[in-house]
Amino acid sequence: MQYNPGWNSSSVNLLHVRAVGPADTLHYIWSSIGAPAVLLVATESRSSVLRVNWTQLLSPTPAGAVWIDPPSSVVYSTAVVFTKVFEYSEAETLEELFYSTYDLSDFSWDSVNHTLNHTALTAEFTGIPATDPSGSFSNGSLAFRVTAYEAGGRDGPLPSLLHTANSSKVEFVLAGVAPRGNSSRFALEVATVEETGVAQKLRSARSIDDEYTPTIFEMLSLVAESQNDSSTLSFLQWKATAYGSQTPRREDGIQCRSHGLQAANWTLPVSSIVHAYFGEGVGSTYTISAINISFGGEDGKVYQEKRYLSWSALLGFGQPPKDTFSPLVISIMAVALGTPMVMLLVGSCVVLFVQRKRYSEYDPIN
């Protein structure tokens, strides 16, 4: 993990996470320059490195300021941008009342260097609006917590996402932000940037097993598929839940919904890191898709009471991890389904034995 490689100032944030494999390298470049975003770049070289022209990156025309060297080693690249946070509530007419949008490209962000943990491979981007007329952020903040992984495993805290060494986690957190309505709910807009020939698809998988995330039976994945061979290139995966506590329990669950993946025909909000890597082709040569993920129950009172919201998602390369039944669940199912069958077989045998024994007490008439 490198913070602002080649730059001594902490007035801006760029975090480079580099994972080296047997014959390839994965690059995650997180930044809060403009809208918070992450570049995901896969190369077929163990020696590929990130290059940054800082003077150009911080200029009004950042195109070409970020690249991977050697460029020929890059086999796939994409970006995920966290663009806006919406706050809304339902009026008496059941219509949704929207308040002024929080544009994340207009936020002021603390230095990530203060939260960087090279041992745990974690960092935190914390910000507040540059202007806050309502005073909602006077005692609160918005954050994106980043975690990298060296190996496969499962997170301990809920929602206990299953991860691989080819993935990282991002956690969206609202803490202490005063809602502007009596039953406010929030929604996060997430945009993706893909190369030509790659399409985004939203998948939903349901399971009867909620062992690791109690009462939650749905997993959603936003996957990038190659239109040539239908192979999955990258993903953003999350459970259909958020939580209203720093130490989440089942009862702290907040309803999470995904509102339709759309091709974004509007201009992508300012994100210097995306324009610096993909150039001016963003929106023309490259395709932009967006999805809104909302948090809150029918009345939105979970956040109103605790003023804390956290939502976790996994992002990475290749196929998203798939949960399978654990040995414990398989054993329970085997006992639950097998016991009635055994009892039925034993009962049938006993009945047959009793019947044969009863008729054997009589001598034949003829």
Side-chain angles (χ1 to χ4, degrees), residues 279-364:
E280 300 301 331
V282 175
S284 56
T285 306
Y286 301 93
T287 58
I288 303 172
S289 302
I291 188 171
N292 288 340
I293 302 169
S294 66
F295 316 100
E298 295 302 324
D299 55 7
K301 289 187 177 180
V302 175
Y303 182 82
Q304 186 79 21
E305 294 172 357
K306 300 185 178 181
R307 296 201 178 181
Y308 188 89
L309 166 68
S310 71
W311 171 77
S312 299
L314 200 70
L315 52 86
F317 298 89
Q319 288 280 358
K322 291 184 179 180
D323 265 320
T324 56
F325 291 116
S326 68
L328 174 63
V329 172
I330 292 174
S331 301
I332 293 173
M333 292 175 64
V335 171
L337 298 176
T339 301
M341 291 298 297
V342 171
M343 293 178 65
L344 180 61
L345 290 173
V346 171
S348 300
C349 292
V350 169
V351 170
L352 290 174
F353 176 77
V354 170
Q355 286 181 339
R356 291 189 62 182
K357 183 177 180 181
R358 187 178 67 181
Y359 286 108
S360 65
E361 295 175 355
Y362 296 90
D363 294 328

Side-chain angles (χ1 to χ4, degrees), residues 148-169:
Y149 299 109
E150 292 181 311
R154 185 182 297 276
D155 274 355
L158 292 175
S160 303
L161 294 173
L162 180 67
H163 61 79
T164 69
N166 292 346
S167 60
S168 295
K169 184 180 77 169

